[in-house]
Amino acid sequence: MSYKIGLVGKPSVGKSSFFNAATMNDVPEGAYPFTTIDPAVGEAYVRTSCAAPEFDSECSPNLGYCEDGERFVPTQLVDVAGLIPGAHEGKGLGNQFLTDLNEADVLVHIVDFSGKTDAEGEPTEGHDPREDIDFLEEELDQWYLGILRKGIERFETAHTTETELEVELAEQMSAFGTNKDEIKQIILGLGLDLDPETWDDADELDLARAIRERTKPMVVAANKLDTPEGQANYAEITDDPEYEDVTIVPCSVHAEKALKNAAEQGVVDYTAGDSDFDIVADISEEQEEGLEQIREFVTEFDGTGVQDALETALFEELGLKAIFTGDASLNWTQGPFPDVFLLPEDATAEDFAYHIHSDIGEGFLHGIDCRSKRQLGKDTVLDHNDVVEVVTTN
């Protein structure tokens, strides 16, 4: 499977620009609400250290690419319709937004930290980005709450001694990728009884929020941090104890797109995610001045933030790990290290085999750690950047 990152947020904050900078696609961009009507889907990449140099080899990727010892692994990126307050009630493009959003495994919330777009995505001055962080979470919480309450009603209507609350709620909320064990764990973790008659409205909202946080983890991309207003707001918000549990990545979509365009034109030597770049062509004083302003930002914030936001979403929020297909004998039939896959953090050697192909999983005998040559049983939990050969009857 390919994990899917959803770009979310109110209109006109730079979602489509982020999408274009990450994928180098060309979807419409504009400083007006609902530039995005239908979701755009593109291929972006996250980085992991390439295993090939450890084996004195060069990789031959089937998908993605490798540059300066960094393997760029494909992932899907979706730019969904702009969200406005009241979306959970169907306002704006709310229903379409929520449907599109549910296809994503993790969310990157693009927020205009310069404070120059209001709640509707219209130009303004002095808007507090905290309001945008809060409003999106509140919209999603209300969406989850509406669906949760339908499950509670089902339970109360069909309630018998044989009915389990977590089964009814999990079935109602199955579209979010949850299950009865997770639902039960969340309910008990909140200190609630397995009886909705003992809950009040606040308990129901807390439960909806906890399920949302578990099933739709989120990273905030603090966009437009190349402005004085953006940097001032970033310093204030990251120092605010009420937002210490929010994952915020400093970001300048403008800087990323400018550097990638310059790299395509042979003006700079730049790789996505780098915290610096080299000017390698003769350019005008004006162009050089613009690039030096970008350099000042990327060196201070350790990159433009676009690549970091994607990698934070997958590796930190989802807890994924990269596993390379290997050959312990180094007798490659398709070129060295052709594939690297992203798997959940608890994935085992057998899970890896099934991930490659169901037939390989069904015939799984054991794995081999290509570094240590150690045999791996089916229940062996793999580590990030492991190189594994799968031995199978198929």
Side-chain angles (χ1 to χ4, degrees), residues 343-364:
L343 278 76
E345 59 185 341
D346 59 353
T348 64
E350 186 180 46
D351 294 332
F352 180 51
Y354 273 102
H355 188 93
I356 296 171
H357 196 281
S358 59
D359 288 346
I360 293 176
E362 289 170 4
F364 179 84

mmCIF file of all heavy atoms in Angstrom, residues 343-364:
data_model
loop_
_atom_site.group_PDB
_atom_site.id
_atom_site.type_symbol
_atom_site.label_atom_id
_atom_site.label_comp_id
_atom_site.label_asym_id
_atom_site.label_seq_id
_atom_site.Cartn_x
_atom_site.Cartn_y
_atom_site.Cartn_z
ATOM 1 N N LEU A 343 6.279 0.652 6.335
ATOM 2 C CA LEU A 343 5.428 -0.266 7.092
ATOM 3 C C LEU A 343 5.124 0.308 8.466
ATOM 4 O O LEU A 343 5.874 1.142 8.982
ATOM 5 C CB LEU A 343 6.104 -1.632 7.253
ATOM 6 C CG LEU A 343 6.012 -2.625 6.088
ATOM 7 C CD1 LEU A 343 6.956 -2.232 4.973
ATOM 8 C CD2 LEU A 343 6.324 -4.033 6.568
ATOM 9 N N PRO A 344 4.051 -0.166 9.108
ATOM 10 C CA PRO A 344 3.757 0.261 10.481
ATOM 11 C C PRO A 344 4.876 -0.134 11.441
ATOM 12 O O PRO A 344 5.632 -1.080 11.177
ATOM 13 C CB PRO A 344 2.454 -0.484 10.813
ATOM 14 C CG PRO A 344 1.872 -0.855 9.500
ATOM 15 C CD PRO A 344 3.029 -1.065 8.573
ATOM 16 N N GLU A 345 4.957 0.559 12.569
ATOM 17 C CA GLU A 345 6.078 0.361 13.485
ATOM 18 C C GLU A 345 6.104 -1.034 14.095
ATOM 19 O O GLU A 345 7.169 -1.502 14.523
ATOM 20 C CB GLU A 345 6.058 1.416 14.589
ATOM 21 C CG GLU A 345 4.805 1.437 15.432
ATOM 22 C CD GLU A 345 4.801 2.580 16.426
ATOM 23 O OE1 GLU A 345 5.879 3.127 16.715
ATOM 24 O OE2 GLU A 345 3.711 2.956 16.911
ATOM 25 N N ASP A 346 4.963 -1.731 14.151
ATOM 26 C CA ASP A 346 4.946 -3.072 14.743
ATOM 27 C C ASP A 346 5.024 -4.176 13.687
ATOM 28 O O ASP A 346 4.819 -5.354 13.993
ATOM 29 C CB ASP A 346 3.693 -3.268 15.598
ATOM 30 C CG ASP A 346 2.398 -3.098 14.800
ATOM 31 O OD1 ASP A 346 2.466 -2.693 13.619
ATOM 32 O OD2 ASP A 346 1.311 -3.363 15.365
ATOM 33 N N ALA A 347 5.353 -3.823 12.450
ATOM 34 C CA ALA A 347 5.380 -4.814 11.360
ATOM 35 C C ALA A 347 6.460 -5.870 11.588
ATOM 36 O O ALA A 347 7.584 -5.564 11.995
ATOM 37 C CB ALA A 347 5.600 -4.123 10.024
ATOM 38 N N THR A 348 6.098 -7.111 11.295
ATOM 39 C CA THR A 348 7.013 -8.240 11.459
ATOM 40 C C THR A 348 7.588 -8.675 10.109
ATOM 41 O O THR A 348 7.205 -8.164 9.055
ATOM 42 C CB THR A 348 6.268 -9.428 12.072
ATOM 43 O OG1 THR A 348 5.248 -9.854 11.138
ATOM 44 C CG2 THR A 348 5.615 -9.048 13.399
ATOM 45 N N ALA A 349 8.484 -9.662 10.173
ATOM 46 C CA ALA A 349 9.069 -10.203 8.944
ATOM 47 C C ALA A 349 7.986 -10.791 8.051
ATOM 48 O O ALA A 349 8.016 -10.640 6.821
ATOM 49 C CB ALA A 349 10.114 -11.262 9.286
ATOM 50 N N GLU A 350 7.008 -11.471 8.649
ATOM 51 C CA GLU A 350 5.916 -12.028 7.851
ATOM 52 C C GLU A 350 5.045 -10.921 7.261
ATOM 53 O O GLU A 350 4.606 -11.013 6.105
ATOM 54 C CB GLU A 350 5.062 -12.965 8.697
ATOM 55 C CG GLU A 350 3.987 -13.691 7.887
ATOM 56 C CD GLU A 350 3.155 -14.621 8.737
ATOM 57 O OE1 GLU A 350 2.726 -14.204 9.832
ATOM 58 O OE2 GLU A 350 2.928 -15.765 8.303
ATOM 59 N N ASP A 351 4.790 -9.855 8.035
ATOM 60 C CA ASP A 351 4.036 -8.710 7.501
ATOM 61 C C ASP A 351 4.744 -8.131 6.288
ATOM 62 O O ASP A 351 4.101 -7.751 5.303
ATOM 63 C CB ASP A 351 3.888 -7.620 8.568
ATOM 64 C CG ASP A 351 3.031 -8.040 9.741
ATOM 65 O OD1 ASP A 351 2.146 -8.894 9.543
ATOM 66 O OD2 ASP A 351 3.250 -7.520 10.854
ATOM 67 N N PHE A 352 6.064 -8.047 6.365
ATOM 68 C CA PHE A 352 6.853 -7.526 5.249
ATOM 69 C C PHE A 352 6.668 -8.387 4.015
ATOM 70 O O PHE A 352 6.491 -7.885 2.899
ATOM 71 C CB PHE A 352 8.323 -7.462 5.657
ATOM 72 C CG PHE A 352 9.251 -6.943 4.594
ATOM 73 C CD1 PHE A 352 8.993 -5.749 3.938
ATOM 74 C CD2 PHE A 352 10.400 -7.643 4.259
ATOM 75 C CE1 PHE A 352 9.853 -5.259 2.964
ATOM 76 C CE2 PHE A 352 11.271 -7.165 3.292
ATOM 77 C CZ PHE A 352 10.998 -5.975 2.643
ATOM 78 N N ALA A 353 6.670 -9.708 4.199
ATOM 79 C CA ALA A 353 6.480 -10.623 3.071
ATOM 80 C C ALA A 353 5.116 -10.402 2.422
ATOM 81 O O ALA A 353 5.001 -10.323 1.197
ATOM 82 C CB ALA A 353 6.621 -12.064 3.550
ATOM 83 N N TYR A 354 4.065 -10.297 3.238
ATOM 84 C CA TYR A 354 2.733 -10.039 2.697
ATOM 85 C C TYR A 354 2.647 -8.679 2.025
ATOM 86 O O TYR A 354 1.921 -8.503 1.034
ATOM 87 C CB TYR A 354 1.677 -10.142 3.806
ATOM 88 C CG TYR A 354 1.154 -11.537 4.025
ATOM 89 C CD1 TYR A 354 1.600 -12.304 5.103
ATOM 90 C CD2 TYR A 354 0.222 -12.095 3.151
ATOM 91 C CE1 TYR A 354 1.118 -13.594 5.310
ATOM 92 C CE2 TYR A 354 -0.259 -13.374 3.345
ATOM 93 C CZ TYR A 354 0.190 -14.123 4.424
ATOM 94 O OH TYR A 354 -0.290 -15.398 4.602
ATOM 95 N N HIS A 355 3.378 -7.707 2.564
ATOM 96 C CA HIS A 355 3.370 -6.366 1.977
ATOM 97 C C HIS A 355 3.943 -6.387 0.561
ATOM 98 O O HIS A 355 3.446 -5.705 -0.331
ATOM 99 C CB HIS A 355 4.179 -5.416 2.858
ATOM 100 C CG HIS A 355 4.086 -3.981 2.447
ATOM 101 N ND1 HIS A 355 3.155 -3.108 2.977
ATOM 102 C CD2 HIS A 355 4.794 -3.250 1.557
ATOM 103 C CE1 HIS A 355 3.305 -1.919 2.431
ATOM 104 N NE2 HIS A 355 4.289 -1.976 1.563
ATOM 105 N N ILE A 356 4.980 -7.209 0.372
ATOM 106 C CA ILE A 356 5.577 -7.321 -0.966
ATOM 107 C C ILE A 356 4.574 -7.945 -1.929
ATOM 108 O O ILE A 356 4.335 -7.425 -3.020
ATOM 109 C CB ILE A 356 6.868 -8.163 -0.903
ATOM 110 C CG1 ILE A 356 7.920 -7.456 -0.029
ATOM 111 C CG2 ILE A 356 7.426 -8.396 -2.312
ATOM 112 C CD1 ILE A 356 9.138 -8.313 0.267
ATOM 113 N N HIS A 357 3.980 -9.060 -1.511
ATOM 114 C CA HIS A 357 2.960 -9.724 -2.343
ATOM 115 C C HIS A 357 2.281 -10.789 -1.495
ATOM 116 O O HIS A 357 2.941 -11.487 -0.715
ATOM 117 C CB HIS A 357 3.589 -10.370 -3.578
ATOM 118 C CG HIS A 357 2.593 -10.716 -4.650
ATOM 119 N ND1 HIS A 357 1.805 -11.834 -4.589
ATOM 120 C CD2 HIS A 357 2.247 -10.075 -5.810
ATOM 121 C CE1 HIS A 357 1.029 -11.893 -5.658
ATOM 122 N NE2 HIS A 357 1.275 -10.828 -6.408
ATOM 123 N N SER A 358 0.984 -10.942 -1.670
ATOM 124 C CA SER A 358 0.246 -11.920 -0.867
ATOM 125 C C SER A 358 0.762 -13.341 -1.077
ATOM 126 O O SER A 358 0.810 -14.142 -0.131
ATOM 127 C CB SER A 358 -1.245 -11.847 -1.178
ATOM 128 O OG SER A 358 -1.479 -12.091 -2.561
ATOM 129 N N ASP A 359 1.159 -13.664 -2.312
ATOM 130 C CA ASP A 359 1.684 -15.009 -2.572
ATOM 131 C C ASP A 359 2.972 -15.250 -1.792
ATOM 132 O O ASP A 359 3.206 -16.358 -1.282
ATOM 133 C CB ASP A 359 1.951 -15.207 -4.065
ATOM 134 C CG ASP A 359 0.672 -15.322 -4.878
ATOM 135 O OD1 ASP A 359 -0.393 -15.511 -4.274
ATOM 136 O OD2 ASP A 359 0.748 -15.181 -6.116
ATOM 137 N N ILE A 360 3.823 -14.244 -1.726
ATOM 138 C CA ILE A 360 5.084 -14.376 -0.988
ATOM 139 C C ILE A 360 4.789 -14.557 0.496
ATOM 140 O O ILE A 360 5.430 -15.362 1.183
ATOM 141 C CB ILE A 360 5.978 -13.147 -1.237
ATOM 142 C CG1 ILE A 360 6.422 -13.130 -2.702
ATOM 143 C CG2 ILE A 360 7.192 -13.138 -0.311
ATOM 144 C CD1 ILE A 360 7.223 -11.908 -3.097
ATOM 145 N N GLY A 361 3.805 -13.824 0.995
ATOM 146 C CA GLY A 361 3.444 -13.977 2.398
ATOM 147 C C GLY A 361 2.888 -15.346 2.708
ATOM 148 O O GLY A 361 3.210 -15.946 3.741
ATOM 149 N N GLU A 362 2.056 -15.873 1.812
ATOM 150 C CA GLU A 362 1.452 -17.187 2.048
ATOM 151 C C GLU A 362 2.501 -18.301 2.045
ATOM 152 O O GLU A 362 2.330 -19.321 2.711
ATOM 153 C CB GLU A 362 0.392 -17.468 0.985
ATOM 154 C CG GLU A 362 -0.856 -16.606 1.163
ATOM 155 C CD GLU A 362 -1.810 -16.690 -0.010
ATOM 156 O OE1 GLU A 362 -1.521 -17.483 -0.938
ATOM 157 O OE2 GLU A 362 -2.823 -15.963 -0.015
ATOM 158 N N GLY A 363 3.577 -18.099 1.303
ATOM 159 C CA GLY A 363 4.635 -19.115 1.269
ATOM 160 C C GLY A 363 5.797 -18.812 2.190
ATOM 161 O O GLY A 363 6.847 -19.461 2.114
ATOM 162 N N PHE A 364 5.642 -17.848 3.092
ATOM 163 C CA PHE A 364 6.744 -17.386 3.944
ATOM 164 C C PHE A 364 7.340 -18.522 4.780
ATOM 165 O O PHE A 364 6.622 -19.262 5.453
ATOM 166 C CB PHE A 364 6.235 -16.276 4.864
ATOM 167 C CG PHE A 364 7.281 -15.737 5.811
ATOM 168 C CD1 PHE A 364 8.156 -14.753 5.403
ATOM 169 C CD2 PHE A 364 7.375 -16.216 7.110
ATOM 170 C CE1 PHE A 364 9.120 -14.245 6.264
ATOM 171 C CE2 PHE A 364 8.328 -15.720 7.977
ATOM 172 C CZ PHE A 364 9.207 -14.735 7.564
#
